[in-house]
Amino acid sequence: MSSRLSGGIVATQPLGSFVSDQLLRLCQAVGLHRSDAEVYARVLTDCLGGGAERPLDQPPPHPSFLSDDHTPVEYSLALVPDAPPTLRVLLEPGYAAGSLAQQGRTGLRVVRALAKRWGFSTDRLDGVEDLFFPPDPQGPLALWIALELLPGGVPKVKIYLNPAASGPDRAAETLREALDRLGHRQAFDALPPADGYPFLALDLGDWETPRVKVYVTHRDASAADAGSLSRSEPGTGRETVEEFFRVAAGLEGADRYPGVGEAVRLAGRPVLSCHSFTEAATGLPSGFTLHVPVRDYVRHDGEAHARATAVLRRHGMDPTVLDRSLATVSSRPLHDGVGLIAYLALVHERNRPPRVTAYISSEAYAVRPPLPARPRHQPFSPRAARTEPRETLHSVGHGKAGAEIRMEPYRIKVVEPIPLTTPQQRKAAIERVHYNLFDLRADEVTIDLLSDSGTGALSSAQLAVGMAGDESYAGSRSFYRFRETVSELTGYTHILPAHQGRAAERILFSNLLEPGDTVLSNTHFDTTRANVELNGCVARDLPCPEARNLDSREPFKGNIDLGALEQALGESTGSRVAAVVMTITNNGGGGQPVSMENLRRTSELCRRHSVPLILDAARFAENAWLVTRHEEAYRNHTPRQVAEEAFRLADGCVMSAKKDGIVHIGGFIGLNDPELAQKCELLLIATEGFPTYGGLAGRDLDMMAQGLQEVTEPAYLAERAESADHLAQRVRAAGVDILEPPGLHALYLNAGRLLPHIPPHQYPGHALACRLYLEGGIRSAELGSLYLGEEDEDGNPVKSPPYELVRLALPRRVYTRSHYDHVGRTLERIAKTAESVRGYRIVEQSPILRHFRAKLQPVTG
């Protein structure tokens, strides 16, 4: 539950209290008397049963198909010209029961209790009960109840049943039989072509003409398709329906989209049509409704509100009551999420004026973050719609973070259980390791975002080549395959394997640097800096000015400051600049990419001053992907083409293949200088292994070669970017700022902004990382005062970093979006009580890389 929704209500508020408060405010907004509103609020909580008492800081007992965040309640507002609006509430009475069968039995009991309370008959439900409540039901729901709230405290009642209860393949058969029993033998044949039958609805209680309503799913619908769906008598105006579809779906001015002359279709969550039957003489429907899932075709609710307003005004209705109603349900800014306005519907019924209905989500459990800024509409011909592949974001169901996701370009063949620990177990574990997350056992961590280094999942192709690895001490075929692959990618003449990146750094810097030298970089990462300093040299960072603004969405904040670089290269200070190291992506700078233009100009400066340019290429493929997305000159390049060009702008590289090699161990040095390569090779032999294995098994070399080929595949990189963006949206929705824009390998939480009450020498980043573990079993890495700061012997700050960050590193092909949803929910809980987070003090530390081995204690008092 988001604190922005609750208006100060504490997280332990029960669901029933939350939704009844919303309903009371909605009743006031539409003009219902307070006494009626209180009756309806009590009925709502009574219908939810024991689930009404469940605190909102606990997840829903079962996923509810009724809403994206699994709240078992939805509101709707029906409006007509020159008349008061009608408020309805839709609820799932059995959502807190166990199995689907138990949920159905609970729902039936609630319906019959309402019938007894208000004196209406359940004969029509009784006549079809066996069809919709089999012993072992299937499908996403058992029974829903809709209450149309009227003055006087007695509502009109409608129930929703699931035609797929006996299986999706029998839904049509079940529906036909039910309509026959209900006296509408010809009704099924009057329905339009369908992709599915999600609901059958029955009016119960005080209806002038009780209806049987059939809901029909239509995938990939266009405006023309929508206009042809009505079968009601008298007919619904086709032009009116098509106009409503275009406005609600955001297709006005559809010539903005490519494919002139083709139908623009909705490729995400499908459109629904509803057909009402009141008499059997003609077999034709007496009413027709078109439901457009507006939440899936907008970036945020600000757009949905604009479309709803436009629809209402075109039909002569005042949108003011909708504005009031939205404000009573949620206080969050509309642009902060999507889904508050779930559907817009246009309703035509015989002998009644047309009406527009807006469906409003409760959002009791979660707010869906805004969607990416791209349309979900696809232009294509009707013939091609079913036969030709097309790129789109597909609706795959109701999830807390939203239904629209890009499909992962792989399927899972092996799974590993993850530890699910209790708060007490986590508290004991973190106390045992003196609050240093590096010292936790892996089986004490539920979601491990400490590092993306060596933590990725291998592909089946990597495992296959690993099985064929040649373990010869010298001259193995695995080495030659590896060398050929790396040489082809980088263009470097000399390729030396090493067991990981820091080993490659140590070997290179031991031969490239002399004591007193300076190494310049866009930002040195921690081990790179350590290997420079262990050689008695100075590691100096020259990040670009744009990097100072954490909130800026400048696309290349990983660049080096070219002006500062030129000045440093031209200085005569007695300290030789021995190398320039460009880290791609800039991990120490928040995972931000380096543009090809910046890299090219850096290369020119280095060559002008005869200083070697070395790439720290751990994430070269991710950098290349971001270049193709944001650098105009490279939009038509593949990531592989960008990467090849980047390597050739430098004189050599070091790489931890545990990142963009997608392997558990491995790295390499690539050089063109034969003399330097020979020196490195001698040190390699003495400290790592013979040059044809470099401390690695033959299978590791083969898997590294395969990984370096897979990593530049656009489908792989696109999915990685989508996953990172998904988590970024969840984190923002939780009320936690990140270093913008998000990259691919990690998100960087702005701990300093979230915890302003913790001073730098009490390590706010580390405090947030510890709370993440204690709250959700999530391990992360601090990049703030603990990592970069210095204090005197009394603990007073001597050197503070510019920012207090926490890195959430994303392992490759390991966690799904539901894992990242857990991270978002955990952060949301932390953000609500951020003032309760306390700082830490160091009780023991090492002289370098202290964050790896430090021992800490919470600050008390």
Side-chain angles (χ1 to χ4, degrees):
M1 168 183 154
S2 169
S3 60
R4 290 176 300 169
L5 302 179
S6 63
I9 299 172
V10 296
T12 54
Q13 181 183 18
L15 171 68
S17 171
F18 182 87
V19 295
S20 61
D21 286 348
Q22 286 181 324
L23 188 60
L24 287 169
R25 295 192 298 268
L26 278 167
C27 289
Q28 182 180 10
V30 301
L32 280 172
H33 194 274
R34 178 72 183 186
S35 60
D36 293 335
E38 289 173 349
V39 168
Y40 291 136
R42 285 195 299 272
V43 169
L44 173 58
T45 53
D46 290 346
C47 287
L48 293 176
E53 300 304 318
R54 189 178 182 87
L56 287 178
D57 58 357
Q58 298 179 19
H62 296 285
S64 175
F65 181 65
L66 196 150
S67 64
D68 284 349
D69 74 326
H70 307 306
T71 304
V73 174
E74 181 185 65
Y75 312 105
S76 61
L77 201 64
L79 299 103
V80 295
D82 304 319
T86 300
L87 176 64
R88 302 188 184 101
V89 58
L90 178 66
L91 62 99
E92 187 167 19
Y95 97 110
S99 66
L100 198 62
Q102 291 172 319
Q103 293 175 33
R105 289 192 292 271
T106 300
L108 288 170
R109 285 198 300 269
V110 171
V111 171
R112 287 176 176 132
L114 295 178
K116 184 177 181 180
R117 174 175 186 161
W118 289 313
F120 63 80
S121 171
T122 61
D123 288 349
R124 296 208 295 174
L125 170 60
D126 299 339
V128 296
E129 179 180 338
D130 61 305
L131 297 176
F132 296 95
F133 300 92
D136 187 20
Q138 301 180 43
L141 76 144
L143 180 147
W144 292 346
I145 299 174
L147 305 176
E148 184 171 311
L149 309 185
L150 304 175
V154 179
K156 292 183 178 180
V157 180
K158 179 168 60 177
I159 60 169
Y160 288 80
L161 304 172
N162 173 26
S166 296
D169 56 331
R170 298 187 60 186
E173 177 186 340
T174 297
L175 190 57
R176 186 186 289 273
E177 173 65 19
L179 290 168
D180 191 5
R181 294 188 192 182
L182 292 164
H184 297 282
R185 183 179 299 273
Q186 304 174 66
F188 186 85
D189 293 329
L191 297 173
D195 291 312
Y197 302 98
F199 314 113
L200 174 75
L202 302 177
D203 288 346
L204 304 177
D206 186 22
W207 295 84
E208 182 179 345
T209 308
R211 301 161 299 174
V212 177
K213 303 177 72 176
V214 179
Y215 289 77
V216 180
T217 299
H218 308 281
R219 301 189 184 281
D220 299 328
S222 67
D225 294 334
S228 68
L229 294 176
S230 175
R231 301 293 189 272
S232 62
E233 180 65 39
T236 305
R238 181 184 185 113
E239 291 183 0
T240 302
V241 174
E242 290 186 9
E243 180 192 50
F244 167 78
F245 178 95
R246 284 192 294 269
V247 176
L251 296 179
E252 283 193 299
D255 53 358
R256 292 175 298 171
Y257 301 98
V260 177
E262 297 177 330
V264 180
R265 301 175 178 269
L266 304 189
R269 200 185 308 243
V271 165
L272 298 178
S273 64
C274 174
H275 308 268
S276 302
F277 297 90
T278 55
E279 47 82 20
T282 65
L284 296 175
S286 58
F288 166 76
T289 305
L290 182 69
H291 298 261
V292 175
V294 64
R295 61 184 160 197
D296 283 65
Y297 302 97
V298 294
R299 292 173 299 166
H300 50 71
D301 280 310
E303 291 183 2
H305 175 261
R307 294 185 196 174
T309 299
V311 166
L312 291 171
R313 285 177 173 159
R314 292 189 186 205
H315 288 270
M317 304 170 195
D318 183 1
T320 305
V321 68
L322 175 62
D323 298 344
R324 290 200 307 268
S325 300
L326 292 174
T328 66
V329 171
S330 173
S331 61
R332 70 167 172 83
L334 292 177
H335 63 269
D336 278 0
V338 62
L340 183 61
I341 303 175
Y343 277 85
L344 292 174
L346 179 65
V347 186
H348 282 267
E349 290 185 326
R350 186 186 302 165
N351 302 322
R352 296 185 64 180
R355 66 180 183 270
V356 173
T357 302
Y359 292 79
I360 302 171
S361 300
S362 169
E363 295 186 329
Y365 285 108
V367 177
R368 277 179 56 189
L371 294 174
R374 57 180 294 182
R376 271 77 177 166
H377 320 96
Q378 292 296 327
F380 54 93
S381 66
R383 180 181 61 82
R386 302 293 182 188
T387 60
E388 297 178 9
R390 61 190 187 276
E391 181 186 13
T392 183
L393 294 177
H394 292 281
S395 177
V396 296
H398 297 264
K400 288 190 178 182
E404 300 292 57
I405 61 172
R406 184 185 294 277
M407 182 177 66
E408 287 86 351
Y410 52 81
R411 59 184 178 185
I412 298 168
K413 301 181 85 170
V414 178
V415 296
E416 175 190 2
I418 59 176
L420 300 175
T421 57
T422 66
Q424 294 78 13
Q425 289 171 328
R426 296 193 291 270
K427 183 175 183 293
I430 201 169
E431 288 176 352
R432 188 194 74 246
V433 299
H434 304 283
Y435 298 90
N436 190 321
L437 300 177
F438 284 94
D439 285 338
L440 289 169
R441 294 168 56 98
D443 57 13
E444 295 171 327
V445 178
T446 300
I447 305 292
D448 203 341
L449 307 183
L450 182 71
S451 176
D452 65 321
S453 179
T455 57
L458 298 174
S459 69
S460 57
Q462 286 178 291
L463 287 171
V465 297
M467 291 295 291
D470 181 359
E471 304 303 338
S472 301
Y473 182 88
S476 75
R477 62 178 176 274
S478 296
F479 167 75
Y480 289 107
R481 181 196 178 198
F482 161 76
R483 187 178 69 175
E484 180 181 353
T485 298
V486 176
S487 294
E488 194 174 278
L489 171 66
T490 65
Y492 301 137
T493 307
H494 304 281
I495 306 298
L496 300 173
H499 81 272
Q500 63 181 51
R502 66 190 65 181
E505 291 171 348
R506 178 184 57 82
I507 291 168
L508 176 62
F509 293 155
S510 295
N511 289 284
L512 181 63
L513 306 181
E514 296 177 2
D517 284 348
T518 295
V519 177
L520 307 175
S521 179
N522 51 349
T523 306
H524 293 81
F525 195 55
D526 53 6
T527 59
T528 315
R529 181 180 303 278
N531 275 304
V532 170
E533 293 175 349
L534 284 170
N535 280 281
C537 300
V538 175
R540 183 178 170 193
D541 295 336
L542 303 174
C544 66
E546 294 84 354
R548 300 189 189 102
N549 185 347
L550 299 188
D551 302 314
S552 163
R553 298 189 66 86
E554 290 291 328
F556 293 108
K557 291 160 69 173
N559 285 348
I560 199 167
D561 185 330
L562 291 168
L565 174 63
E566 185 169 20
Q567 181 179 349
L569 289 173
E571 289 174 352
S572 301
T573 60
S575 176
R576 181 181 72 119
V577 176
V580 173
V581 175
M582 284 287 274
T583 309
I584 56 172
T585 55
N586 189 335
N587 189 17
Q592 299 296 301
V594 175
S595 72
M596 291 297 290
E597 175 65 19
N598 187 260
L599 186 59
R600 181 177 297 104
R601 292 179 62 186
T602 299
S603 177
E604 292 169 355
L605 285 170
C606 287
R607 288 176 183 169
R608 189 188 311 160
H609 290 273
S610 301
V611 172
L613 173 60
I614 304 295
L615 296 184
D616 177 349
R619 298 172 182 86
F620 75 92
E622 295 176 358
N623 197 88
W625 170 261
L626 293 167
V627 165
T628 66
R629 314 317 287 173
H630 300 298
E631 195 164 358
E632 189 61 40
Y634 290 88
R635 287 190 180 273
N636 294 322
H637 286 58
T638 66
R640 171 79 184 203
Q641 290 169 333
V642 174
E644 289 180 354
E645 183 176 333
F647 280 115
R648 285 157 179 80
L649 287 171
D651 299 293
C653 75
V654 289
M655 181 173 180
S656 170
K658 295 167 68 174
K659 284 82 169 175
D660 273 358
I662 328 182
V663 287
H664 300 147
I665 198 72
F668 63 85
I669 303 168
L671 295 168
N672 283 328
D673 184 336
E675 183 179 350
L676 179 59
Q678 185 179 31
K679 292 178 181 178
C680 290
E681 183 178 282
L682 292 174
L683 185 56
L684 176 77
I685 294 171
T687 60
E688 291 283 308
F690 197 68
T692 57
Y693 77 90
L696 295 166
R699 60 181 172 272
D700 296 324
L701 292 167
D702 273 309
M703 290 189 290
M704 193 177 355
Q706 180 66 30
L708 289 169
Q709 293 173 343
E710 293 179 7
V711 76
T712 55
E713 287 295 324
Y716 159 81
L717 289 165
E719 192 279 329
R720 185 145 170 79
E722 291 275 342
S723 293
D725 186 64
H726 176 86
L727 178 56
Q729 292 178 23
R730 290 307 312 266
V731 171
R732 295 188 196 105
V736 179
D737 290 331
I738 63 173
L739 193 160
E740 299 282 4
L744 271 67
H745 90 275
L747 262 66
Y748 294 73
L749 310 179
N750 192 333
R753 186 173 295 169
L754 181 66
L755 307 173
H757 58 283
I758 301 179
H761 65 283
Q762 293 181 5
Y763 316 118
H766 185 74
L768 177 56
C770 288
R771 181 60 70 91
L772 269 169
Y773 176 72
L774 288 166
E775 187 76 25
I778 301 158
R779 181 157 62 170
S780 55
E782 187 262 12
L783 294 178
S785 291
L786 181 61
Y787 164 52
L788 292 172
E790 295 178 10
E791 297 82 35
D792 61 23
E793 58 186 15
D794 297 319
N796 298 311
V798 174
K799 172 187 173 185
S800 295
Y803 313 109
E804 302 288 348
L805 304 176
V806 172
R807 186 185 70 176
L808 305 180
L810 312 183
R812 291 158 181 79
R813 304 186 293 207
V814 170
Y815 293 121
T816 67
R817 287 167 176 81
S818 65
H819 293 109
Y820 294 141
D821 289 344
H822 169 71
V823 177
R825 290 192 297 270
T826 302
L827 278 168
E828 186 174 15
R829 292 195 298 271
I830 294 170
K832 291 175 189 173
T833 58
E835 67 283 352
S836 70
V837 180
R838 292 291 174 259
Y840 287 77
R841 62 184 181 88
I842 293 177
V843 296
E844 185 178 316
Q845 63 179 307
S846 56
I848 62 170
L849 298 174
R850 69 176 183 179
H851 54 293
F852 284 126
R853 306 305 303 160
K855 295 180 179 179
L856 302 100
Q857 287 293 327
V859 173
T860 58

